[in-house]
Amino acid sequence: MSDQQKELHGSPPNYEALRLMAAGTLGAALLGLSSLTFAGTVIFLILAAPFLVVFSPILVPAAMILILSTAGFLFSGGSGIGGLAAILWLYRKARGQLPYAADQLDFVRMRVASKAWDMKERAKEGGQFVQNKAQENTEA
């Protein structure tokens, strides 16, 4: 087999160039779609502006009601999911089916609590030290 045949058959394909070409093509297509969408939005706003001005006393309260009701439903759903997750966690803990790494979480919680207690004690001692120094300076 000659060297030219080895180069043609034995060299691996250059996937980096293919990736670059595919990314460029996809990027150009998405940029074109983006510009068309932007142009369509601008044309729609130009055409809809007079209607928005005429109907704004109706549309603004309707939009506010829609936004607030959507926010309420999302908050309600999120709170419900959070509550169910908490109840499920308590149920699993009561049955002894602790969540993954619960013992490590308990260890970390206890360690943080002990460090907080230590810092509280240090702050008390520091406050007493400053108070004693202040009394000594006022007496002297």
Side-chain angles (χ1 to χ4, degrees):
M1 203 184 254
S2 71
D3 290 335
Q4 286 181 340
Q5 287 177 343
K6 285 182 184 178
E7 286 180 14
L8 289 177
H9 296 292
S11 65
N14 191 357
Y15 289 117
E16 191 65 32
L18 291 175
R19 286 185 192 137
L20 189 62
M21 287 175 28
T25 305
L26 184 63
L30 289 176
L31 188 62
L33 286 174
S34 171
S35 63
L36 286 175
T37 305
F38 180 73
T41 303
V42 169
I43 291 170
F44 174 75
L45 283 177
I46 289 171
L47 295 175
F51 296 110
L52 290 174
V53 170
V54 170
F55 293 114
S56 65
I58 297 169
L59 293 177
V60 169
M64 289 175 58
I65 289 171
L66 183 66
I67 289 170
L68 290 175
S69 63
T70 302
F73 282 125
L74 288 175
F75 181 75
S76 172
S79 297
I81 290 172
L84 285 174
I87 290 171
L88 182 63
W89 184 80
L90 286 173
Y91 175 73
R92 285 184 178 170
K93 186 163 179 135
R95 291 198 60 200
Q97 299 171 336
L98 296 177
Y100 177 72
D103 52 344
Q104 287 127 350
L105 289 174
D106 287 337
F107 172 74
V108 169
R109 182 180 55 83
M110 294 301 292
R111 189 162 179 184
V112 168
S114 69
K115 288 292 182 186
W117 180 264
D118 291 342
M119 293 303 293
K120 178 182 164 187
E121 292 299 317
R122 282 185 175 176
K124 276 185 186 178
E125 291 171 4
Q128 289 173 353
F129 177 76
V130 170
Q131 190 176 20
N132 291 338
K133 286 293 184 181
Q135 285 179 355
E136 288 176 9
N137 288 336
T138 55
E139 291 174 1

